[in-house]
Amino acid sequence: MGKISSYPAMTALQGPELILGDQSGATGTTTPTAVAAYMAGLTTTPVLASYARTAAETAAGVTPVNYAYAPGDLRRYGGDPTGVADSSAAFLSAIKTGFAFIPAACSFYISTSQAVTGQVTIIGQGPTSKLLCDTTVLTVTNGTGSFVDNFWMENITAPWIITRDPTNWSANILGTLQQSNTVLGYQPTVNDADIWGSLTTAQQNQQVGPQIIFKGSASDITVSRIFGRFVLVLIQDATNSTIRDCDVRGGKGEWGTLQFDNWTNEVQRGSGNRAINNRVQYGSFSGITFMANDDFVCQGNQSFLNGESGTKTVQVQGVQFTASVGGATSGTISVPAGGLTNGTWNFIFADGESRSVTVTGSTSCSWTGALTVTSILSASAYQGNINPQCFRGLITNNSTYENYYDGLDCDSTFNTTVDAARTYHVISQNSSYNNGGDGVNTDGRYNTVEGNRCYGNRSYGIWNLSSYSQITGNHLLSNNTQNGSSIAELLGGTQANVMSLNKILFSASAGYPIYAPQIAGQIPHVIRDNFIIGGTAFYGNPSARFSVLENNIDDTTGSFTLQSFCFFLQNNAGTLQHVFYSDGGAASTGIADRISGETSGGYTNTPTGTDSSTAFASGAKVSTTVPNAIVFNTGVQDPPNSQMVASLVYNTTTTALIVRPRMASFDVNGVTQSRLIFELFNASTGAPVAINTTNIGSGTLIQIQFYGRFV
């Protein structure tokens, strides 16, 4: 978990310590010559504490300026703790020895970016240990084992910033543009399309704020407890490294405030990198970013009010073939507007095959080695030696809110129809709310999206375009605050997903709680035990539903819900009458009848007129088209998917009867659709028994108990 508790022993780093003379208000010197003279008895002039030149300083060619301060202390090398004079040279001297110490209540101005190679250790004493810098403080190359901990960094020059209103993402914010170090906001980027064209070139190109950069082949780097304003921490090219317990207002950068970037320099893929328990706000781009990382951890972070997303995994271009490509060495691809640039691309296909592909004319492509799969393929496409996509991430217990884009953007491609990457992410137990985009984004394959809480986001709760994934136990509340007609709380994905036990409280006036229609030619989903209040899920039109649907509950029609009721039919002095009895209080859980117009208050005369011109009364009528049937006023039904049982539990007529529930199409009062019906048959002969006052004689009744699932 990093080195947060493994602080270097100061005595081991500082070298020999000499404390000589009376230091209670005494004046004296700390030069090695004076110390030697005092010890030899050649002078009685008192000396203050003095730390001899260390072997590390000698090896680095560093000569201390003030020996009163311990090795590594910037004041030892001439640093100005008031922050007025430039301490760049002092900082470099300390870094060259491998150890820099920033004392409490000291501020050091760094005007010039410094660069070193090899392991470094930088330690402060909390937020009052400060480095002041407008640009890169330090670049470390091949810094395996480096340890940076417990100090503050801040800019000097006030940058141009903008401030967005999370309660009104579409508000015109040009009026908030100002130069300030104290007003909360972030430096604008191209993501701020609504104002970008109104900015001057200087405002667009500004890059104000201190940053620490690690690059080159390295491992086991720890950056912890960094505090400050307009800060960037960039760990490039490293493995098994950690950024943790930082609390910063983010800088501009290019991708994110706290960043693991194993793509830009193409040195090596990241593996085992971790962002843990950080707090990031007002970064110009995303709060925490991973690029070309495998088996990474993003855990327990709080990321909010950033100019892009709270947490982001970088994406590549997605492409899709428009025809069968089995055995082919060339083809045509479908890509977003603009196509791919001509040249050589690396394609990773959804079936796991990879090819170096030559693209011409944006959509024509060719490669060496025939593809084996005969179906339509999607692919991820990138250029260079390292794939920027991330795989097998553990993204858990993060809180992301009020970011301009998404809360957790865990996508692998930026074509919204491609699921090619085998990402294997676990996205679990995160909270994502009031973001300007989606709560959680995920695509690729074999992901687990479990136990997340997404609410009040402007667009989707969970934007899911993955396949072969599990989306389980998420709580989605009142997302789609923009009321987009094509937006869902939960987007179902491409194929073969399991969506279960998700609870959705839907409050938008448009869109869907769940939108998961089957995509032609793809493996069906399994969608079960989801609970929706306030809306109707959409799993495709009845004739086009292929997913396995079980025990999904919503408010009205559109999903199969549990139905339970008792139906009584009696002959009252020559008039057929009916009444329903059900647990009306169970409507919120779906275990109640959904017969339109039915009441349990008392018997209603049962209509027996011609079907096509006679309306229902209290939800039912006797059919004239099928005389042994009672027709119910249900929604449009999907007969192949009906699952139900009806039992005749009480019968005072003179004929032994059985009842058969089924779905059938009827024209009732001019409306033709498939509805629920009960048919009566003779229990002995199986012959239909017409429902009339002869077969149900005066003073007799039948009671039918129903339990089942229908729309």
Side-chain angles (χ1 to χ4, degrees):
M1 299 297 288
K3 301 179 180 177
I4 191 65
S5 60
S6 302
Y7 299 106
M10 296 293 289
T11 55
L13 291 167
Q14 291 167 352
E17 177 181 347
L18 296 175
I19 303 177
L20 302 171
D22 179 6
Q23 299 184 51
S24 57
T27 61
T29 182
T30 58
T31 66
T33 301
V35 172
Y38 182 86
M39 294 185 70
L42 300 177
T43 178
T44 58
T45 301
V47 296
L48 303 179
S50 178
Y51 298 87
R53 190 183 188 195
T54 65
E57 290 170 335
T58 301
V62 172
T63 301
V65 174
N66 191 333
Y67 289 84
Y69 299 106
D73 190 322
L74 268 61
R75 295 171 296 183
R76 180 178 175 88
Y77 311 108
D80 176 11
T82 69
V84 176
D86 186 2
S87 297
S88 298
F91 182 63
L92 178 59
S93 293
I95 290 296
K96 286 169 66 176
T97 71
F99 172 65
F101 173 63
I102 308 167
C106 293
S107 298
F108 297 95
Y109 167 44
I110 310 297
S111 69
T112 305
S113 176
Q114 307 300 327
V116 294
T117 298
Q119 180 179 349
V120 299
T121 299
I122 307 173
I123 292 178
Q125 292 182 304
T128 66
S129 301
K130 294 186 176 183
L131 296 180
L132 315 178
C133 185
D134 277 341
T135 182
T136 303
V137 173
L138 178 67
T139 299
V140 181
T141 301
N142 302 337
T144 292
S146 292
F147 182 63
V148 178
D149 177 66
N150 203 23
F151 58 90
W152 176 285
M153 296 195 298
E154 70 177 41
N155 63 305
I156 300 167
T157 304
W160 289 95
I161 63 165
I162 56 173
T163 303
R164 292 196 176 272
D165 179 4
T167 65
N168 184 7
W169 289 113
S170 60
N172 187 326
I173 49 87
L174 187 59
T176 70
L177 181 67
Q178 60 187 298
Q179 281 185 288
S180 178
N181 278 330
T182 57
V183 174
L184 294 178
Y186 62 85
Q187 300 174 61
T189 72
V190 292
N191 287 338
D192 301 295
D194 52 346
I195 67 162
W196 188 248
S198 301
L199 304 181
T200 67
T201 301
Q203 290 167 342
Q204 291 179 345
N205 293 337
Q206 70 175 355
Q207 185 73 250
V208 177
Q211 54 185 309
I212 292 180
I213 302 173
F214 288 89
K215 68 178 184 178
S217 180
S219 63
D220 300 298
I221 296 167
T222 297
V223 178
S224 58
R225 295 191 295 181
I226 301 300
F227 313 95
R229 183 179 69 202
F230 298 116
V231 169
L232 297 176
V233 176
L234 312 179
I235 296 183
Q236 300 178 335
D237 314 321
T239 62
N240 298 313
S241 296
T242 302
I243 303 174
R244 65 177 304 153
D245 299 309
C246 297
D247 187 350
V248 297
R249 178 179 174 186
K252 186 176 181 182
E254 185 179 1
W255 294 98
T257 295
L258 307 180
Q259 179 178 314
F260 290 97
D261 173 10
N262 290 72
W263 174 42
T264 298
N265 301 325
E266 296 195 326
V267 173
Q268 63 179 343
R269 286 191 66 82
S271 176
N273 292 319
R274 301 169 294 273
I276 300 176
N277 295 341
N278 300 289
R279 184 175 185 265
V280 184
Q281 60 178 314
Y282 291 107
S284 293
F285 287 95
S286 295
I288 300 171
T289 303
F290 288 86
M291 309 162 70
N293 268 256
D294 305 328
D295 304 298
F296 63 94
V297 175
C298 183
Q299 178 179 340
N301 302 288
Q302 186 179 7
S303 187
F304 57 102
L305 292 165
N306 297 291
E308 192 172 333
S309 298
T311 293
K312 184 179 181 69
T313 55
V314 170
Q315 299 115 41
V316 301
Q317 177 69 68
V319 300
Q320 193 163 38
F321 288 88
T322 57
S324 175
V325 294
T329 57
S330 63
T332 301
I333 55 176
S334 173
V335 292
L340 297 182
T341 57
N342 294 338
T344 301
W345 291 75
N346 298 302
F347 278 27
I348 300 178
F349 297 103
D351 69 338
E353 296 184 73
S354 61
R355 298 288 188 279
S356 177
V357 176
T358 300
V359 176
T360 57
S362 299
T363 58
S364 297
C365 56
S366 60
W367 55 89
T368 300
L371 297 176
T372 58
V373 173
T374 59
S375 62
I376 297 173
L377 288 175
S378 60
S380 302
Y382 65 94
Q383 292 181 303
N385 297 318
I386 287 185
N387 181 1
Q389 294 172 315
C390 296
F391 301 95
R392 299 184 301 278
L394 176 60
I395 304 164
T396 182
N397 288 301
N398 300 286
S399 178
T400 57
Y401 57 93
E402 296 183 343
N403 298 287
Y404 185 37
Y405 278 30
D406 307 309
L408 291 96
D409 184 356
C410 308
D411 283 350
S412 59
T413 66
F414 57 85
N415 180 330
T416 58
T417 61
V418 173
D419 66 339
R422 299 184 171 199
T423 42
Y424 290 98
H425 293 323
V426 175
I427 306 167
S428 173
Q429 304 300 322
N430 301 287
S431 293
S432 185
Y433 56 93
N434 295 349
N435 295 289
D438 307 326
V440 174
N441 289 347
T442 180
D443 63 6
R445 298 189 172 201
Y446 314 114
N447 298 314
T448 298
V449 184
E450 183 176 24
N452 300 288
R453 300 162 299 281
C454 303
Y455 49 96
N457 296 291
R458 189 168 185 266
S459 195
Y460 293 83
I462 296 178
W463 185 91
N464 166 53
L465 281 177
S466 61
S467 292
Y468 305 96
S469 296
Q470 179 172 306
I471 301 94
T472 302
N474 301 287
H475 189 179
L476 311 179
L477 169 63
S478 299
N479 297 287
N480 186 19
T481 59
Q482 64 177 297
N483 285 317
S485 61
S486 60
I487 295 173
E489 294 274 351
L490 172 59
L491 186 62
T494 303
Q495 63 176 323
N497 292 319
V498 176
M499 286 166 268
S500 63
L501 298 173
N502 298 291
K503 183 173 183 179
I504 301 174
L505 303 179
F506 185 71
S507 63
S509 60
Y512 303 91
I514 297 178
Y515 186 81
Q518 181 64 38
I519 298 176
Q522 305 288 4
I523 299 173
H525 304 301
V526 175
I527 308 173
R528 61 162 62 103
D529 300 318
N530 297 290
F531 179 53
I532 298 167
I533 295 175
T536 302
F538 182 70
Y539 307 120
N541 295 320
S543 61
R545 285 185 192 149
F546 300 102
S547 296
V548 177
L549 303 174
E550 297 180 353
N551 300 327
N552 297 294
I553 298 169
D554 66 6
D555 274 2
T556 57
T557 59
S559 63
F560 293 102
T561 58
L562 294 175
Q563 315 283 302
S564 177
F565 61 86
C566 288
F567 178 75
F568 291 80
L569 182 68
Q570 71 173 7
N571 183 332
N572 182 11
T575 300
L576 292 178
Q577 297 178 327
H578 68 272
V579 67
F580 292 84
Y581 288 99
S582 63
D583 181 2
S588 62
T589 62
I591 309 177
D593 66 286
R594 302 295 176 86
I595 309 298
S596 179
E598 66 86 5
T599 63
S600 300
Y603 278 93
T604 298
N605 292 343
T606 308
T608 57
T610 302
D611 288 344
S612 61
S613 58
T614 305
F616 292 105
S618 295
K621 79 175 297 294
V622 175
S623 174
T624 55
T625 306
V626 180
N628 68 318
I630 302 166
V631 184
F632 296 98
N633 190 11
T634 64
V636 179
Q637 299 304 306
D638 184 8
N641 289 296
S642 57
Q643 300 177 26
M644 52 198 172
V645 61
S647 176
L648 201 155
V649 296
Y650 190 63
N651 176 15
T652 63
T653 71
T654 59
T655 304
L657 301 171
I658 57 174
V659 62
R660 174 196 182 193
R662 69 183 180 95
M663 303 299 181
S665 182
F666 283 84
D667 175 0
V668 177
N669 202 27
V671 178
T672 301
Q673 65 182 48
S674 181
R675 310 171 191 273
L676 172 68
I677 68 170
F678 289 169
E679 292 179 291
L680 296 183
F681 297 90
N682 186 295
S684 298
T685 66
V689 175
I691 300 173
N692 53 40
T693 55
T694 299
N695 292 322
I696 300 177
S698 181
T700 66
L701 65 82
I702 59 173
Q703 177 187 345
I704 299 171
Q705 186 167 304
F706 175 84
Y707 186 83
R709 298 172 62 248
F710 61 82
V711 173

